Amino acid sequence: MYKNFIDNEFVVSDSADSIDLVSPVTEEVIATSPVSNQKDIDAAVAAAKRAFPAWRDLTPGQRQKYLLELAEKIEEHAEELADAQVKETGQIKHLVVSEECIPSADQMRFFAGCARVLNGMATGEYLEGFTSSIRREPIGVVAQVTPWNYPLMMAIWKIGPALAAGNTTVLKPSDTTPSSTLKLAELIAEVLPPGVVNIVLGDASTGAALVAHPDVVMVSITGSVPAGRAVGRSAGENLKRSHLELGGKAPVIVCADAELDKAAEGIAIAGLFNAGQDCTAATRVLVDASVADEFTEKLVAEMKKLKPGKPDDEDAFYGALNNRKHFDKVCQVLADLPEHAQIVTGGNRIGDVGFYLEPTVITGLKQTDKAIQEETFGPIITVQTFDTVDQALEMGNDVSYGLSASIWSTDHATTLRASRELDFGCVWINSHIPLIAEMPHGGFKDSGYGKDMSLYSVEEYTRIKHVMAAH
């Protein structure tokens, strides 16, 4: 039975309820995790509350030193973190190391630097006889909820900026993938003071109780739209801040003048990475009708090169879908396709054991179809056509999500126009899916609000105080 992490100690949950953790590769039970209850949450929040004054009062340079040391630990233990994670996610290990663990260390270093460069207006005499200055302060105990698709990296995106700003945290990882977060906790215990980071395990009920705790002043979640709405309602009831990074349905606009070979390769990678279990995935291609057949043929060829496999398969590009419930949901999307849709390639389960799906391309869908409007979160790319850029932009924006998009064209004016008119928090030009610590990640509309990464994310975890002194 896994344990919670409170005050830098692993402690047995007070709850008698538990969750069986199932390998998405073998479908066998590999561990058991508690469903933490109110007593567990009270203990974790109390630890964070006790630790807050001392952590808040450190100089930015002192907090930076702690976070830099943690970053070194993460990089040093990248292989162990990946081993812990892939047994529950089914991801490809070498990709977890190179694309999640090592970047997580780099991102933590970035957040460490942010601790020392927070912004504010210059002190000055804005009213005669008075001097005004701005204090940017940490806000207190933050509740954080992370998803199962990138368990380690999402924990870093939450913990890093909150700690850099001077807050303390209680984090609940996904119920299906807590192991890499618990391994991270071992490293935290070696570096950070007790109570600065606490981890409680459990399901949605645990998360709801954590969000509602009266001593939590801010809530940050990466997850589904329904989960985000629930968190937003709960936080709103108690006037807590909330930061919601939710789903996506990224339009990928391929113009007739695009470099089609480059576009097909890049979109296949961005659509299938992590089995398409990425809220920024290139899932919804809109291609100029004049090159649609040629492009679709190239896309299918590229996708067939990216085969799924088990975590230790060095030649595989993506692994299993994360859990039975999600696997069944994605399969149902394929089963419910309308008659006018055509599966050009894929569409089938691979094998009888493990949650594996073939790389899949679907054409013929209409803009109003469910497979276009709702997030799929699987290794599935849809291809629609357009006749004008105006039409492509209209179709691109015609979903409830607003997280990410891309435009593929060699015409500078077209790409600039698209970057302005696409109603998404990130627009890539002739690329799709790269993220960097220095730039913000976060969306609009049903994709939520607030930013992960960048200095903007650290500012999310601060409050602004005006100090005015009479002369």
Side-chain angles (χ1 to χ4, degrees):
M1 175 73 75
Y2 288 152
K3 298 178 181 179
N4 292 325
F5 179 74
I6 299 173
D7 256 339
N8 277 9
E9 299 286 343
F10 287 94
V11 296
V12 175
S13 170
D14 177 71
S15 173
D17 296 331
S18 64
I19 303 167
D20 286 338
L21 302 180
V22 176
S23 164
V25 175
T26 66
E27 301 186 48
E28 297 174 346
V29 174
I30 53 175
T32 307
S33 177
V35 179
S36 296
N37 60 19
Q38 190 66 52
K39 186 175 180 180
D40 297 318
I41 292 163
D42 288 345
V45 173
K49 189 175 180 179
R50 285 193 301 271
F52 174 63
W55 184 255
R56 173 199 61 199
D57 293 343
L58 293 176
T59 66
Q62 289 170 326
R63 287 199 297 271
Q64 181 193 44
K65 186 176 180 180
Y66 276 116
L67 298 184
L68 287 173
E69 187 176 350
L70 181 57
E72 291 302 311
K73 291 282 187 182
I74 292 168
E75 186 163 307
E76 180 183 340
H77 294 273
E79 292 280 338
E80 298 162 56
L81 287 160
D83 282 333
Q85 183 158 299
V86 301
K87 68 182 182 182
E88 294 171 352
T89 63
Q91 294 168 289
I92 306 304
K93 182 187 171 181
H94 75 91
L95 291 175
V96 172
V97 171
S98 64
E99 305 299 326
E100 189 166 350
C101 297
I102 300 302
S104 290
D106 178 69
Q107 290 155 8
M108 186 59 79
R109 292 188 187 100
F110 172 79
F111 292 129
C114 287
R116 303 181 74 161
V117 292
L118 292 176
N119 295 320
M121 290 179 63
T123 297
E125 289 66 50
Y126 297 94
L127 180 66
E128 186 176 349
F130 294 87
T131 296
S132 288
S133 63
I134 294 293
R135 289 183 57 84
R136 186 182 288 277
E137 300 176 339
I139 56 178
V141 177
V142 180
Q144 302 178 313
V145 180
T146 51
W148 45 254
N149 57 333
Y150 298 107
L152 174 67
M153 192 158 65
M154 295 300 96
I156 298 302
W157 287 17
K158 299 300 184 195
I159 293 169
L163 268 54
N167 303 283
T168 55
T169 73
V170 180
L171 184 142
K172 190 199 85 67
S174 168
D175 55 347
T176 65
T177 58
S179 287
S180 58
T181 308
L182 293 177
K183 180 63 185 178
L184 175 64
E186 294 179 16
L187 307 181
I188 287 171
E190 297 176 10
V191 175
L192 300 182
V196 172
V197 175
N198 306 274
I199 296 165
V200 291
L201 308 181
D203 60 11
S205 67
T206 308
L210 174 60
V211 168
H213 196 286
D215 288 333
V216 165
V217 296
M218 178 179 172
V219 181
S220 178
I221 178 176
T222 296
S224 68
V225 173
R229 287 198 174 108
V231 167
R233 283 192 297 268
S234 177
E237 283 290 323
N238 297 289
L239 299 179
K240 297 178 182 182
R241 285 201 203 180
S242 57
H243 168 206
L244 312 177
E245 199 281 286
L246 309 177
K249 193 70 175 176
V252 181
I253 298 173
V254 180
C255 298
D257 64 352
E259 296 179 23
L260 297 185
D261 288 333
K262 179 181 177 181
E265 180 183 15
I267 293 167
I269 290 171
L272 294 183
F273 187 77
N274 201 25
Q277 299 172 126
D278 189 311
C279 49
T280 65
T283 60
R284 187 166 58 101
V285 172
L286 306 169
V287 59
D288 190 294
S290 66
V291 295
D293 290 344
E294 180 184 0
F295 172 79
T296 302
E297 184 178 331
K298 292 178 181 292
L299 177 64
V300 168
E302 291 296 332
M303 290 180 69
K304 287 182 175 179
K305 297 177 184 177
L306 304 175
K307 71 183 187 73
K310 295 183 178 180
D312 59 355
D313 186 345
E314 293 282 338
D315 296 323
F317 183 71
Y318 70 90
L321 275 68
N322 180 258
N323 58 79
R324 166 61 70 179
K325 181 179 178 181
H326 179 59
F327 177 71
D328 289 344
K329 181 181 177 182
V330 177
C331 289
Q332 195 62 48
V333 170
L334 296 171
D336 290 344
L337 289 173
E339 291 184 2
H340 53 263
Q342 295 90 43
I343 296 178
V344 180
T345 188
N348 299 303
R349 180 179 186 174
I350 300 174
D352 299 322
V353 176
F355 307 137
Y356 291 92
L357 284 177
E358 295 174 333
T360 301
V361 174
I362 303 170
T363 62
L365 287 165
K366 299 176 181 178
Q367 185 66 21
T368 55
D369 286 334
K370 185 176 179 180
I372 296 297
Q373 292 293 322
E374 298 184 7
E375 187 174 41
T376 303
F377 229 56
I380 298 171
I381 296 178
T382 64
V383 179
Q384 299 167 271
T385 63
F386 64 85
D387 295 315
T388 66
V389 172
D390 285 345
Q391 184 185 20
L393 294 172
E394 181 180 355
M395 294 169 68
N397 287 329
D398 182 29
V399 292
S400 63
Y401 299 96
L403 185 57
S404 62
S406 63
I407 174 78
W408 300 72
S409 171
T410 54
D411 182 75
H412 186 59
T414 298
T415 59
L416 284 183
R417 179 190 171 193
S419 68
R420 181 182 70 248
E421 295 188 17
L422 285 167
D423 193 16
F424 296 83
C426 176
V427 178
W428 288 285
I429 296 174
N430 294 321
S431 181
H432 194 108
I433 222 169
L435 297 171
I436 52 174
E438 291 82 356
M439 289 292 131
H441 173 78
F444 313 139
K445 302 189 293 187
D446 280 3
S447 292
Y449 47 80
K451 299 298 180 184
D452 287 317
M453 306 249 272
S454 80
L455 187 56
Y456 295 107
S457 74
V458 181
E459 291 177 351
E460 293 267 344
Y461 293 96
T462 65
R463 64 185 188 182
I464 302 297
K465 180 186 288 182
H466 172 212
V467 180
M468 179 178 267
H471 295 174

